[in-house]
């Protein structure tokens, strides 16, 4: 009798797992949009999605028994897609006013990234905001700078900033090193990645704002609530098993907010 009961339990468990696998394979893939934000997310030489955060998104979806479809977009297009449900999920900074009303934000912070003001090595850090008065400030084309500390600088007419944009992080570093600009406002991960491949170029920087990174699900997807529940359950499972901390280390994400250091 015990053997029969054990056999029935095994059969039931097998059927349950098979049902879950069949459900995952039959469901439409989760449409994940991402920005070119190396080393977190980018297209390689073969135009294939790569990056530590995309790998984490795929692992999280696997834990939730979901398939994914990864598509790169420029920021404006990604924000539009989240506002219409064309893109269902992205991993990004929370609080962006361009999309905040259109997304469900994950309950937990995956990690923190910094918005920094960079300047050539050997130069003294500016006293903000007065130290930027009349200076040439470089931005990265396609990126948004909505953090309050950034807007206080960029929207202050009294600073008389001379703004220009570079089309890549590598180009921005070169312009700064050649003295074509005085300062560069940029997010730390892609700048650090570009510096690692720049052949010894060194920059200094001060942190203006530390941004929390989380799951951002479009409210306009018909299955938004279901996806959020399943992904957050998967997130909790990875956290409880200790795997989440390994992913944070792989992504070089801090687990605590960095206070402005100016």
């Amino acid at each position: 009798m015990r053997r029969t009961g054990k056999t029935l339990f095994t059969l039931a468990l097998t059927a349950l797992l098979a049902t879950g696998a069949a459900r995952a394979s039959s469901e439409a893939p989760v449409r994940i949009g991402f920005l070119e934000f190396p080393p977190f997310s980018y297209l390689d030489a073969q135009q294939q999605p790569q990056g530590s955060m995309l790998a984490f998104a795929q692992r999280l979806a696997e834990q939730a028994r979901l398939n994914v479809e990864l598509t790169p977009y420029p920021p404006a297009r990604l924000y539009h897609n989240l506002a219409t449900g064309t893109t269902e999920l992205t991993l990004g900074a929370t609080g962006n006013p361009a999309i905040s009303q259109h997304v469900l934000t994950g309950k937990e912070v995956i990690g923190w990234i910094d918005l920094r003001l960079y300047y050539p090595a050997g130069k003294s850090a500016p006293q903000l905001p007065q130290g930027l008065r009349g200076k040439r400030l470089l931005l990265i084309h396609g990126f948004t700078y909505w953090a309050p500390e950034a807007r206080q600088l960029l929207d202050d007419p009294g600073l008389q900033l001379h703004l220009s944009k570079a089309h890549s992080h590598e180009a921005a570093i070169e312009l700064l090193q050649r003295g074509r600009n005085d300062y560069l406002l940029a997010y730390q991960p892609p700048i650090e990645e570009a510096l690692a491949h720049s052949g010894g170029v060194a920059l200094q920087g001060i942190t203006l704002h530390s941004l929390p990174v989380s799951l951002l699900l479009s409210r306009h997807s018909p299955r938004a609530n279901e996806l959020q529940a399943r992904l957050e359950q998967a997130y909790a499972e990875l956290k409880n098993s200790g795997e989440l901390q390994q992913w944070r280390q792989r992504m070089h994400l801090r687990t605590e907010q960095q206070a402005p250091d100016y």
Side-chain angles (χ1 to χ4, degrees):
M1 185 68 177
R2 289 181 178 176
R3 183 172 298 177
T4 301
K6 183 177 181 180
T7 300
L8 290 173
F9 173 77
T10 301
L11 290 172
L13 180 60
T14 302
L16 180 62
L17 292 174
T19 300
R23 181 185 181 188
S25 63
S26 64
E27 285 180 319
V30 180
R31 299 186 298 276
I32 299 179
F34 66 92
L35 304 176
E36 290 272 353
F37 199 73
F40 289 155
S41 53
Y42 60 95
L43 293 176
D44 63 16
Q46 288 72 44
Q47 298 300 295
Q48 295 300 309
Q50 298 292 345
S52 56
M53 191 166 289
L54 293 185
F56 173 70
Q58 291 175 298
R59 175 67 185 96
L60 188 64
E62 177 188 41
Q63 187 72 16
R65 299 197 301 277
L66 293 164
N67 297 315
V68 299
E69 178 181 283
L70 301 170
T71 307
Y73 295 106
R77 181 61 182 273
L78 178 60
Y79 301 160
H80 171 79
N81 286 356
L82 289 168
T84 61
T86 306
T87 293
E88 295 181 288
L89 171 68
T90 191
L91 276 68
T94 66
N96 186 341
I99 57 173
S100 57
Q101 64 178 326
H102 298 294
V103 297
L104 300 172
T105 302
K107 295 178 181 178
E108 293 204 48
V109 173
I110 301 173
W112 301 81
I113 60 174
D114 295 336
L115 177 62
R116 310 199 81 202
L117 184 70
Y118 289 95
Y119 49 95
K123 187 175 181 178
S124 299
Q127 295 294 317
L128 299 182
Q130 294 84 357
L132 291 186
R133 191 180 305 278
K135 299 298 183 180
R136 299 166 298 172
L137 179 61
L138 186 61
L139 308 176
I140 305 296
H141 178 75
F143 283 81
T144 55
Y145 300 88
W146 49 265
E149 292 84 350
R151 297 319 318 171
Q152 288 172 6
L153 300 175
L154 297 174
D155 296 338
D156 185 350
L159 291 180
Q160 300 179 333
L161 291 170
H162 301 280
L163 299 177
S164 59
K165 292 185 177 182
H167 284 275
S168 70
H169 294 87
E170 291 79 7
I173 292 171
E174 182 179 355
L175 288 170
L176 198 61
Q177 286 294 113
R178 290 170 57 190
R180 299 286 297 276
N181 293 88
D182 299 305
Y183 298 99
L184 165 64
L185 186 60
Y187 296 96
Q188 184 177 17
I191 284 292
E192 297 296 334
E193 180 74 3
L195 285 172
H197 298 89
S198 63
V201 173
L203 295 180
Q204 299 181 109
I206 55 177
T207 298
L208 298 185
H209 188 82
S210 192
L211 299 95
V213 174
S214 186
L215 301 175
L216 302 175
L217 288 121
S218 172
R219 294 179 180 271
H220 307 286
S221 167
R223 52 179 179 168
N225 291 323
E226 178 192 357
L227 289 178
Q228 183 179 38
R230 291 174 65 176
L231 289 168
E232 290 194 340
Q233 176 61 36
Y235 186 93
E237 291 168 358
L238 295 183
K239 182 177 181 179
N240 292 336
S241 70
E243 186 177 342
L244 176 62
Q245 184 56 29
Q246 298 174 18
W247 278 103
R248 281 173 169 163
Q249 293 172 356
R250 180 176 172 181
M251 292 185 282
H252 302 289
L253 285 174
R254 288 183 291 96
T255 56
E256 296 182 354
Q257 184 175 13
Q258 173 73 39
D261 52 8
Y262 62 90

